[in-house]
Amino acid sequence: MKNIAVIGAGTMGNGIAHTFAQSGFNVQLIDISEEALNRGLATITKNLDRMLAKEKISEADKNATLGNITTFTSVEDGVKKSDLVVEAATENVDLKLKIFKQLDEVCSEDTILATNTSSISITQIAAVTSRPAQVIGMHFMNPVPIMKLVEIIRGYNTTDEVTNTIMELSKTLGKVPVEVNDYPGFVANRILMPMLNESIETLYNGVAGVKEIDTVMKLGMAHPMGPLQLADFIGLDVCLSILEVMYEGFKNPKYAPCPLLVNMVRAGKLGVKSGEGFYDYSESRKAENVSKQFV
């Protein structure tokens, strides 16, 4: 594998593109928005500059990484030569099914199709293609260039050969791949999201305030950041979407989103990305300081 197409230039997409490009792969970064592509490249450049300032990479490494990335606004043009496509679009099942139908039509029959979904069924996504054996989940963690874990999720029809190929590929990126089966939330979010949801319930029920809840979990449970701050960083809309997928998949009330979370998302308070969530990020400096904790 040498040519990797990444669908989506947002937070996860540009992080995945950065990681593959820094490992020497030719990356085709695809987004329908030229503006999103420019923002994605700017983010990659800024993160490389931080690594350069910390002497983790050289100027030549930075230039080589950026030189390995080509941008496209056309999916068909971007995936023509791809050995692997990693879809990192918004966590919306209808959008992902539409993308995979298109990828199945325009990609080579040998191309492996992967999705970075954090909760949506790989089997469901694979079912809209004519190659379900070659569809797999690659759930990277945010921020992608830093976090070691990749959940490798095999759908009902994913072959051993494809799974092993993606496991080995992940290792070449310096990641630690963990194979899991295709159930709602997989492992990471099946455990994480109920914890975040319970933290929001604790706030909703008036047990303690935002800072108090986060302080208890940081100092008492040795978490690097509190669950409410983490939810802000992930995006409250993303948390809600994952919980809804899990609730629909399991029909178990323990996965039902807290009413406070639902109302905050309806009100547009999505966390760092919107400038306000459980914390106030209205000043750009505050949001930047939060982001720097992860780079």
Side-chain angles (χ1 to χ4, degrees), residues 59-277:
E59 186 73 34
D61 293 330
K62 171 190 168 181
N63 293 333
T65 299
L66 292 173
N68 285 337
I69 302 172
T70 308
T71 61
F72 295 86
T73 54
S74 163
V75 170
E76 185 171 0
D77 292 340
V79 302
K80 279 182 179 178
K81 298 180 180 179
S82 298
D83 303 304
L84 168 69
V85 180
V86 182
E87 172 272 319
T90 304
E91 191 75 349
N92 177 286
V93 64
D94 292 332
L95 175 61
K96 290 185 185 295
L97 296 182
K98 179 180 178 182
I99 290 171
F100 271 78
K101 284 180 182 178
Q102 182 181 12
L103 291 175
D104 188 47
E105 293 171 358
V106 300
C107 289
S108 162
E109 63 181 16
D110 297 323
T111 303
I112 295 174
L113 306 181
T115 173
N116 183 59
T117 181
S118 53
S119 60
I120 298 169
S121 168
I122 308 304
T123 303
Q124 181 182 7
I125 292 172
V128 302
T129 76
S130 62
R131 62 182 88 191
Q134 293 163 244
V135 178
I136 196 166
M138 291 186 77
H139 180 207
F140 290 87
M141 305 294 123
N142 186 26
V144 180
I146 304 300
M147 300 292 279
K148 291 292 187 181
L149 176 66
V150 185
E151 274 189 306
I152 306 299
I153 308 104
R154 55 188 303 163
Y156 189 83
N157 292 299
T158 309
T159 64
D160 290 341
E161 181 182 2
V162 167
T163 301
N164 292 336
T165 296
I166 297 303
M167 292 282 284
E168 292 305 313
L169 176 67
S170 299
K171 292 176 185 177
T172 69
L173 301 176
K175 304 300 184 186
V176 178
V178 176
E179 181 182 339
V180 304
N181 290 319
D182 186 22
Y183 292 95
F186 315 132
V187 170
N189 282 319
R190 183 168 180 174
I191 295 170
L192 175 63
M193 286 301 154
M195 185 194 77
L196 299 187
N197 198 43
E198 190 62 29
S199 302
I200 300 169
E201 285 277 1
T202 303
L203 176 66
Y204 180 59
N205 292 331
V207 178
V210 171
K211 291 182 180 179
E212 289 75 13
I213 292 169
D214 278 355
T215 298
V216 166
M217 297 305 290
K218 285 191 289 185
L219 300 185
M221 312 304 165
H223 290 194
M225 70 163 50
L228 299 176
Q229 186 183 10
L230 177 58
D232 273 354
F233 179 72
I234 293 170
L236 302 190
D237 54 336
V238 176
C239 294
L240 177 60
S241 175
I242 295 170
L243 284 164
E244 288 175 336
V245 168
M246 293 170 66
Y247 181 58
E248 177 65 26
F250 290 116
K251 298 295 192 297
N252 189 323
K254 75 178 181 180
Y255 299 115
C258 175
L260 176 58
L261 174 62
V262 175
N263 277 342
M264 289 180 71
V265 172
R266 286 174 177 168
K269 300 181 188 300
L270 309 181
V272 175
K273 71 173 82 173
S274 70
E276 184 178 358

Side-chain angles (χ1 to χ4, degrees), residues 31-45:
D31 200 295
I32 59 172
S33 166
E34 189 74 44
E35 182 181 354
L37 288 168
N38 291 335
R39 285 197 306 267
L41 285 176
T43 298
I44 293 170
T45 302

Side-chain angles (χ1 to χ4, degrees), residues 12-24:
M12 296 305 295
N14 70 60
I16 294 167
H18 173 165
T19 301
F20 273 106
Q22 192 171 333
S23 296

